Amino acid sequence: MHHPGKSISGFDTHFLFTLLIASCLSLSSALPVPQTGQIDPTAYAQSADQKSGSWPYFLGPFHTGISTETNLIDQFPQAGPPLLWEKEIGTGYSAPAILGNRLVIHHRPNGNRKGKEVIECVEADTGKFLWKYEYDSDFRDPYGYNNGPRCSPLLTEKYCYTFGAQGKLYCLNLKEGTMVWFRDCLKDFDVPPGFFGVGSTPILEGDKLIVMVGAKPNSGMVAFDATTGKTLWKNVGKIVWNGTETGWERMPNYKWRGNEKISSYSSPLAVTIHGKRHLLCLMRQGLVSLNPQNGSVNFKYWFRSLINDSVNAARPVVVGDKIFLSAAYQVGSALLQVNSDGKSYQELWRNPANMLTHWSTTIHHDGYLYGFSGRHERGATMRCLKLSDGKVMWEADGTAAVLGKVKPNQLTGQYQWIDSGKTAPWPFYGRGSAIMADNKFIVLGERGTLAILKIDPNQCSEVCRTSFPQIKYPAWAAPVLAHKKIYLRSESHLICLDFAKKPTK
């Protein structure tokens, strides 16, 4: 990993993808239709475990970074919550996925040169090994970042789906780890090279596995049969984006050249709006809504930086019939309102400066949006926006909570608590990530700072913070919460923390 701020052949090393990611993870029309803009939880309820605290997809049970778990600790001491277990793993940016007591992590041991991508299953409560499946990978990140997988596993009661850095799509038996089917997307489709490999986590929509393949000329999105891997439909590319209004002065209508990248690092999202299912895909060029049954286009919205070396990485956020989008690279954010016909929309507002999300998906709560803004670690802040007009309510870099409480160690470069002299968490959040549960935010800064914040639209209210030596920069995978345990991964370790509230005596 190159030092932040340095460049590789003139390229800014802060130019990243997401996981979210890097995720990076809804339903046939025959299933019950939820309220407008809501993700139907019955769509994902493959088992009782899934409804009782599992985290089987990228960004959790509802694909939003929000969990319904309760009875979590409200604060912890400087040493942090209890460490239940830890495991050395290989590189990658993919967060683990958990269903019941099975945790699957996708990583690449010794990933600097030729090696293997490993899909590994362990017991979620103990870290005990259950099975692993590995396959060859010689992926080299063009800009010097790690060479491991970027997408999170997707788990159902029967299957485990993974999407590797080179577009290798696997369906494994979750119980035993044996292969059910496999597609090599870079060989089966005409996919231009990505900036950082493949990084958009697939989702399930009924019996379809929806994958951002990013192939030319019109296979940006592909639906596979979830049980066989057979291609069911494909769409998005030249046919969608050629001639689209851009709002760019130099090219008001986009002219397709034929060599464009199509995929992004934003994972698709399936929701019901005005009684109609929408597969929302924030591609490199912008947002496209597809009919998940056949891939036909409902509407499209150009949302792309003028800067060529740029990516869309954060997932769309749906609130009722409104869709929030955000990206770095001088793009900013926008709020769309889908019309009742499901084929058109209104742009309620667009702002180039209020929220510039690099990769971690913003979270909505009670009319406010909470997320991280900033292309670079230095200068990045956590922000709260008012949904209705995009007004910035507050922004914070994390330092206020420890002002006068920590100081840098001139010898080690680390920070230490002034009162105890012990190692302290990094004071800045940087381009962090957050999840929401039990009326609080659980925040992870990119240098490993773990904090609990109150949900407050008026100010940044940090309750406590800590760090663990296993979770170092770059900690870019969001925290995972399952069965009152928090799971954090770095490029070398996976740790499990106890977040259960203890009964009072």
Side-chain angles (χ1 to χ4, degrees), residues 235-247:
N235 197 3
V236 186
K238 178 180 180 180
I239 195 171
V240 170
W241 299 115
N242 189 41
T244 298
E245 293 183 10
T246 65

Side-chain angles (χ1 to χ4, degrees), residues 91-236:
T91 62
Y93 299 120
S94 58
I98 300 165
L99 182 59
N101 198 33
R102 289 179 180 266
L103 178 151
V104 179
I105 183 74
H106 196 185
H107 61 108
R108 185 175 172 187
N110 304 316
N112 291 328
R113 298 192 179 277
K114 287 187 177 182
K116 306 279 187 181
E117 284 192 354
V118 175
I119 307 164
E120 188 167 356
C121 182
V122 301
E123 291 183 350
D125 59 352
T126 66
K128 179 183 176 182
F129 174 83
L130 294 175
W131 55 258
K132 71 176 179 180
Y133 186 95
E134 56 185 28
Y135 56 90
D136 293 339
S137 174
D138 58 2
F139 173 71
R140 297 292 299 274
D141 186 282
Y143 301 110
Y145 296 103
N146 81 40
N147 302 320
R150 284 83 167 92
C151 301
S152 292
L154 187 163
L155 309 182
T156 71
E157 189 174 328
K158 292 183 179 180
Y159 303 122
C160 165
Y161 301 92
T162 61
F163 200 26
Q166 291 178 306
K168 293 180 179 180
L169 183 64
Y170 278 91
C171 173
L172 305 181
N173 182 300
L174 180 59
K175 183 178 180 180
E176 303 165 348
T178 53
M179 189 178 77
V180 178
W181 58 262
F182 160 73
R183 295 291 299 266
D184 190 332
C185 292
L186 298 194
K187 289 185 177 179
D188 295 349
F189 300 89
D190 185 6
V191 182
F195 284 114
F196 306 103
V198 173
S200 174
T201 299
I203 65 168
L204 273 174
E205 170 71 5
D207 59 356
K208 298 175 182 63
L209 185 70
I210 309 293
V211 182
M212 190 180 291
V213 171
K216 301 183 294 183
N218 298 301
S219 297
M221 297 300 303
V222 179
F224 298 94
D225 185 300
T227 58
T228 67
K230 177 185 177 183
T231 301
L232 300 177
W233 59 253
K234 49 191 177 181
N235 197 3
V236 186

Side-chain angles (χ1 to χ4, degrees), residues 289-334:
S289 167
L290 303 178
N291 179 335
Q293 296 308 306
N294 57 23
S296 61
V297 175
N298 294 317
F299 58 80
K300 59 185 176 180
Y301 177 73
W302 189 265
F303 193 75
R304 223 212 87 174
S305 175
L306 272 166
I307 301 169
N308 179 64
D309 294 334
S310 62
V311 297
N312 288 327
R315 207 175 212 163
V317 177
V318 177
V319 184
D321 58 359
K322 299 174 180 64
I323 304 171
F324 173 77
L325 304 173
S326 183
Y329 306 98
Q330 303 173 19
V331 176
S333 62

Side-chain angles (χ1 to χ4, degrees), residues 356-377:
L356 294 98
T357 310
H358 205 159
W359 65 77
S360 60
T361 298
T362 296
I363 293 175
H364 170 261
H365 181 75
D366 283 352
Y368 295 92
L369 297 159
Y370 300 84
F372 288 87
S373 179
R375 177 178 172 184
H376 307 299
E377 180 187 12

Side-chain angles (χ1 to χ4, degrees), residues 234-452:
K234 49 191 177 181
N235 197 3
V236 186
K238 178 180 180 180
I239 195 171
V240 170
W241 299 115
N242 189 41
T244 298
E245 293 183 10
T246 65
W248 294 353
E249 217 174 289
R250 69 184 189 190
M251 190 188 295
N253 297 96
Y254 190 79
K255 296 179 181 178
W256 197 261
R257 301 184 306 274
N259 61 345
E260 286 87 345
K261 295 175 173 63
I262 302 172
S263 62
S264 72
Y265 294 87
S266 169
S267 293
L269 181 70
V271 295
T272 300
I273 302 175
H274 296 304
K276 179 183 180 70
R277 286 302 272 177
H278 290 261
L279 178 63
L280 302 177
C281 312
L282 182 56
M283 319 291 289
R284 172 160 173 76
Q285 287 73 25
L287 179 71
V288 59
S289 167
L290 303 178
N291 179 335
Q293 296 308 306
N294 57 23
S296 61
V297 175
N298 294 317
F299 58 80
K300 59 185 176 180
Y301 177 73
W302 189 265
F303 193 75
R304 223 212 87 174
S305 175
L306 272 166
I307 301 169
N308 179 64
D309 294 334
S310 62
V311 297
N312 288 327
R315 207 175 212 163
V317 177
V318 177
V319 184
D321 58 359
K322 299 174 180 64
I323 304 171
F324 173 77
L325 304 173
S326 183
Y329 306 98
Q330 303 173 19
V331 176
S333 62
L335 187 69
L336 311 181
Q337 183 170 36
V338 181
N339 294 327
S340 58
D341 62 5
K343 295 286 187 177
S344 59
Y345 58 85
Q346 303 172 58
E347 183 186 85
L348 298 182
W349 54 259
R350 184 154 183 174
N351 189 310
N354 61 351
M355 182 79 81
L356 294 98
T357 310
H358 205 159
W359 65 77
S360 60
T361 298
T362 296
I363 293 175
H364 170 261
H365 181 75
D366 283 352
Y368 295 92
L369 297 159
Y370 300 84
F372 288 87
S373 179
R375 177 178 172 184
H376 307 299
E377 180 187 12
R378 181 174 295 180
T381 58
M382 186 176 184
R383 297 186 179 186
C384 173
L385 303 188
K386 192 174 182 181
L387 176 69
S388 60
D389 58 11
K391 177 184 177 183
V392 179
M393 303 301 294
W394 56 258
E395 64 173 318
D397 63 8
T399 58
V402 292
L403 193 63
K405 299 178 182 179
V406 301
K407 65 178 182 180
N409 184 310
Q410 300 300 325
L411 295 177
T412 66
Q414 299 294 315
Y415 280 81
Q416 62 188 54
W417 294 106
I418 293 174
D419 59 357
S420 66
K422 294 182 178 180
T423 301
W426 194 255
F428 300 93
Y429 297 144
R431 297 158 298 180
S433 54
I435 61 174
M436 188 178 79
D438 199 18
N439 201 35
K440 62 181 72 72
F441 289 117
I442 301 166
V443 170
L444 180 65
E446 64 178 302
R447 291 188 181 272
T449 298
L450 179 68
I452 291 178

Side-chain angles (χ1 to χ4, degrees), residues 14-81:
H14 286 97
F15 169 39
L16 314 169
F17 68 90
T18 178
L19 295 154
L20 354 104
I21 243 106
S23 175
C24 188
L25 294 158
S26 195
L27 253 187
S28 73
S29 57
L31 290 172
V33 177
Q35 296 179 0
T36 294
Q38 300 301 306
I39 300 174
D40 183 359
T42 64
Y44 311 104
Q46 302 289 337
S47 70
D49 289 322
Q50 208 162 315
K51 293 184 287 186
S52 62
S54 287
W55 193 277
Y57 319 112
F58 175 59
L59 293 184
F62 308 108
H63 300 250
T64 58
I66 300 173
S67 170
T68 57
E69 282 205 60
T70 57
N71 293 316
L72 304 176
I73 55 175
D74 295 315
Q75 59 183 357
F76 47 70
Q78 284 184 2

